[in-house]
Amino acid sequence: MKIQVKVNGTLYEADVEPRTLLAYFLREELKLTGTHIGCDTTTCGACTVLLDGKAVKSCTVLAVQANGREVMTVEGLEKDGQLHPLQVAFWEEHALHCGYCTPGMLMASYALLQENPMPTEEEIRFGLSGNVCRCTGYMNIVKAVQSAARRLSGASGEAVGEVATSGTAAD
Amino acid sequence: MALPQTELRPMGKPILRKEDPRLIRGKGRFVDDILLPNMLHLCILRSPYAHARIRRIDTSKAEAAPGVKLVLTGEDLAKMNLAWMPTLAGDVQMVLATDKVLFQYQEVAAVVAETRAQAEDAIQLIEVDYEPLPVVVDPFKALEPDAPILREDKEKKSNHIWHWEAGDREETDAIFREAPVVVKQNVRFQRVHPSPLEPCGCVADYNPATGKLVVYVTSQAPHVHRTAIALTTGFPEHMIQVISPDVGGGFGNKVPLYPGYVVAIVASLKLGVPVKWIETRTENIASTHFARDYHMTAEIAATEDGKMLALRVKTIADHGAFDATANPTKYPAGLYSIVTGSYDFKAAFVEVDGVHTNKPPGGVAYRCSFRVTEASYLIERVVDVLARRLKMDPAELRLRNFIRKEQFPYRSPTGWVYDSGDYEKTFKLALERIGYEELRKEQKEKWARGEFMGIGISTFTEIVGAGPAHSFDILGIKMFDSAEIRVHPTGKVIARLGVRHQGQGHETTFAQIIAEELGLSVDDVVVEEGDTDTAPYGLGTYASRSTPTAGAAAALCARRIRDKARKIAAHLLEVNEDDVVWDGAAFSVKGLPGRSVTMKDVAFAAYTNVPDGIEPGLEASYYYNPPNLTFPYGAYIAVVDIDKGTGAVKVRRFFAVDDCGNVINPMIVEGQVHGGLTEGFAIAFMQDIPYDADGNCLAPNWMDYLVPTAWDTPRWETDRTVTPSPHHPLGAKGVGESPNVGSPAAFVNAVLDALSPLGVEHIDMPIYPWKVWKILREHGITE
């Protein structure tokens, strides 16, 4: 079945089997291998991408369901060689170890901050509860999302940098 | 974009990770990301039965299915003498079943097709005629005289695998006969699974034109895998290149060689094209190495005033259908004899019996440090049982029995020589940080009001860094590890190690060690692991051995380079080598600090201006045979509140003080602790893999085998003390597994402490709410 999907701003046309899952379409057809597969029961969220701006588990969406829609993956976060503040924050707060959950965690965090730009710790923990991490114990992921939220809501880059630094030091 | 980290002397600093820039961009390279020309896909048909005779396998429909290139059965492998393969435990294991299956989800046949979906379709078309056989799931029943014999291939017609013991039975029994106080407790450490987020898989790429076999594989021990593949298949080792690319977590799950790897290799050898095999989560849980499954009985002999005298431990170990437990050859029960823990016992005797059941193989995995999880849980649980019997505060009982700091190096009654420790200092810090006295007061008030609050302690000793060549080997290969460092003419460095990280940050921490030793910045050093063609032979990363072994090798290798650099520096400074001093950043003339050359100057000279009699270049390698293991330790305290209505346990606080000697990167150590505590929490409250009487696996996926989310996971509080390892070149000890080793006992002790007004003596993990709810109801608490 022929589909047209915009992924990270680029329009792709492909002929896919109706049963092909979006996660495999992204990984195997488009070679966007940042999106990962960690389970077979829609539990882990390693495959999380944005579909028309909403976080979805791409292992539980058919590629044909993405026809005519927009997908954003982890590869679309960096713009013009500039890392997204969430990516910087994950790095600075040591919010990843093996890195396998990271792309899905970043996309889920991106969607969370779109909905709720200054979430509390509880809201972050609940908001990311569709994403499993086996390495970090989540604490630094919470810190990273908090740090990115401060940075994204800041008026100027410099002022935000200061807030983020003092916030980190206070923990 | 990169955050520059040019500072010198990086040891001990929270340097941001060098591996993160690719991982936050989705540019990691995990096994399933690898796409090769003409690559085919392999899927495995698995047994629906736990124990059954295979009467017939009909593969004709699968062979005719679209896209199918090859169908393999056990009979096909038997012709190549590959239906069975050796295990790390000295047993053998079926690759694809021939005459019978021994556990549910066991590998029976395989299909190679053009796409993953076609291979999945085709395995559904294979028809297998099974004759069910009686199933054994209970290891105690497996030892009964009339139990069905599972392993008909073995000479010994029994489900008993081995008996192993340590310590002095007679001395221990004598103390128990005289002791005024004896407590005894049965404790089960349930079967769990490490469940790394990335399941296991490989791409086997045999190229008939070059004769070379390249295997990309989720591997914690790529060199050992290369040797094991050579020994198993007979393929020459120099023509095998094992590449362990980015690994999405290991936790011990990715140490062994799995049947799927062997089948993919066979398929690639037969077809002459790359073959990819990636297992599903269900296959990962239901067939790859489980952890724990120890049925333990511990007794402590003590005096009335709380002096612990002797420890006696008897254990039944459920190893599943094949003994594939990843252990050093001489230790079938791993380092379980560390079970005397942090306490100065006069005598101890430990015995373990391994048993076959109709379950998947494994046992050693999931941050266990070779069964130290079981040992640590047991002793910390039973010390609490003794405290209860003596009506003594469990903190006080521990303080009375700790090995004192002046006793190190301390020889334990089972023969381990603990390197260093100051248990009292570390424990007192934990007590103080969490406010132990106030918590006990609060608890009394709560108990008086009929509320159940508990405080649980675990003061554990780890044993990591296997290990000295005199007693530690894997498949006969001594458990050294290695580093190879090359300094380029411009003073930039490439370093390769024999270990293989799975997220633990080696690319950063080993660069810190090398940069520190050579007076360079972390950005000057690239660290690589996992490619057996390029990295020096090592035994891999598991059991928290990387820092103790390869960390030591990296430091000593860098010091070898520094020794040569000093000679070149003397030549450049035109002085005698004895007059050259190294200050951590540069070589200078003794007494003339202004006259100096940096390591970069020396590196350039090593290629451009070498003094007579000195070989050009600046590089070295080092294979480090550790003189002993390292013994990190910790003091963990959990505070829990129990909901009387539901039985749910809320972890209100958890304070973890770890001591792993000198720290290379505190940020990374803290991250390791957070992750390990989260695993320990999951084990204590959520995780179990039960089997029903027919041998059906009841938790083969993440719907039933629970992994905690951010919502479930408590906030962790951490601190450290520093008691360096005297024998390690950096004074560093391993730490990765300490939090999983130490924490389950703290959680369980906290729950039992909370319920102590009811006189509950023990609850086996996982402590599901319904278990607590049932106990509360049995005691008439119906709120």
Side-chain angles (χ1 to χ4, degrees), chain A residues 19-78:
Chain A
R19 64 170 169 175
T20 301
L21 299 172
L22 180 58
Y24 286 102
F25 173 72
L26 294 169
R27 290 180 48 78
E28 295 184 351
E29 288 288 318
L30 306 189
K31 316 281 191 270
L32 293 170
T33 54
T35 300
H36 295 147
I37 293 163
C39 74
D40 46 14
T41 48
T42 318
T43 314
C44 81
C47 63
T48 303
V49 300
L50 302 186
L51 184 61
D52 287 344
K54 196 174 157 55
V56 297
K57 293 183 176 179
S58 63
C59 76
T60 311
V61 177
L62 298 167
V64 293
Q65 290 177 290
N67 186 27
R69 301 168 76 176
E70 278 194 45
V71 174
M72 182 178 166
T73 69
V74 68
E75 289 90 348
L77 275 179
E78 188 177 9

Side-chain angles (χ1 to χ4, degrees), chain B residues 414-461:
Chain B
T414 55
W416 299 111
V417 180
Y418 296 18
D419 56 352
S420 63
D422 188 344
Y423 299 154
E424 188 179 330
K425 179 175 82 181
T426 305
F427 186 36
K428 283 187 169 167
L429 178 66
L431 293 169
E432 184 193 311
R433 292 294 307 270
I434 203 155
Y436 187 73
E437 294 304 324
E438 295 76 42
L439 286 168
R440 284 288 177 209
K441 275 182 212 144
E442 182 194 343
Q443 182 183 43
K444 272 192 188 149
E445 292 161 17
K446 289 216 162 133
W447 278 345
R449 292 202 297 270
E451 290 171 31
F452 295 98
M453 166 191 164
I455 307 161
I457 297 169
S458 171
T459 50
F460 63 94
T461 296

Side-chain angles (χ1 to χ4, degrees), chain B residues 591-735:
Chain B
L592 291 170
R595 231 180 113 207
S596 67
V597 289
T598 65
M599 188 60 80
K600 287 192 189 208
D601 301 329
V602 171
F604 196 65
Y607 295 86
T608 59
N609 177 16
V610 194
D612 287 345
I614 290 187
E615 198 182 336
L618 194 59
E619 64 182 72
S621 66
Y622 201 107
Y623 285 66
Y624 181 74
N625 172 24
N628 190 5
L629 293 102
T630 68
F631 297 74
Y633 64 96
Y636 292 176
I637 304 177
V639 184
V640 303
D641 295 301
I642 292 175
D643 184 310
K644 286 187 283 183
T646 63
V649 178
K650 165 103 181 144
V651 177
R652 192 204 310 173
R653 287 186 69 192
F654 193 98
F655 211 105
V657 184
D658 277 281
D659 189 320
C660 56
N662 290 335
V663 166
I664 301 160
N665 184 323
M667 175 191 84
I668 285 176
V669 169
E670 194 184 30
Q672 288 297 305
V673 172
H674 289 173
L677 294 177
T678 305
E679 290 179 349
F681 166 77
I683 290 164
F685 295 112
M686 302 165 79
Q687 298 186 331
D688 188 15
I689 304 184
Y691 287 80
D692 72 10
D694 295 327
N696 293 304
C697 177
L698 299 182
N701 56 52
W702 279 355
M703 301 294 278
D704 299 301
Y705 183 73
L706 304 180
V707 283
T709 67
W711 185 247
D712 305 307
T713 304
R715 263 185 142 245
W716 309 116
E717 299 171 76
T718 60
D719 204 345
R720 274 198 314 278
T721 54
V722 177
T723 310
S725 173
H727 64 75
H728 189 276
L730 300 164
K733 303 183 183 184
V735 69

Side-chain angles (χ1 to χ4, degrees), chain B residues 169-299:
Chain B
R169 185 197 293 265
E170 280 173 24
E171 193 189 355
T172 305
D173 288 349
I175 293 174
F176 270 91
R177 277 194 295 274
E178 304 292 322
V181 179
V182 172
V183 292
K184 178 176 182 174
Q185 184 65 53
N186 293 322
V187 173
R188 180 172 182 222
F189 207 133
Q190 79 277 20
R191 183 176 276 237
V192 291
H193 190 276
S195 278
L197 190 57
E198 176 204 32
C200 298
C202 70
V203 179
D205 178 18
Y206 171 62
N207 181 341
T210 61
K212 188 157 181 175
L213 171 67
V214 184
V215 186
Y216 303 86
V217 57
T218 47
S219 174
Q220 296 181 225
H223 288 92
V224 178
H225 278 172
R226 186 186 70 192
T227 304
I229 290 167
L231 295 173
T232 303
T233 63
F235 203 86
E237 194 170 3
H238 67 303
M239 298 303 277
I240 303 171
Q241 180 180 17
V242 171
I243 300 175
S244 177
D246 282 327
V247 182
F251 312 115
N253 190 233
K254 293 168 180 170
V255 172
L257 202 60
Y258 288 121
Y261 305 156
V262 176
V263 180
I265 289 167
V266 169
S268 184
L269 289 174
K270 277 185 176 279
L271 297 168
V273 292
V275 175
K276 178 186 274 189
W277 170 67
I278 302 292
E279 68 184 6
T280 63
R281 171 58 48 200
T282 299
E283 291 178 294
N284 177 253
I285 295 180
S287 73
T288 65
H289 278 203
F290 72 95
R292 323 291 189 260
D293 218 346
Y294 260 34
H295 300 254
M296 312 179 277
T297 303
E299 296 169 275

Side-chain angles (χ1 to χ4, degrees), chain B residues 5 74 173 210 213 272 393 401 406 418 455 505 535 547 555 561 666 741 756 780:
Chain B
Q5 304 187 58
D173 288 349
T210 61
L213 171 67
D393 185 301
N401 287 281
E406 61 274 15
Y418 296 18
I455 307 161
T547 295
I561 288 174
V741 163
S756 60

Side-chain angles (χ1 to χ4, degrees), chain B residues 576-590:
Chain B
N576 192 301
E577 195 190 329
D578 298 340
D579 291 326
V580 173
V581 288
W582 169 252
D583 68 0
F587 294 102
S588 59
V589 179
K590 206 182 280 177

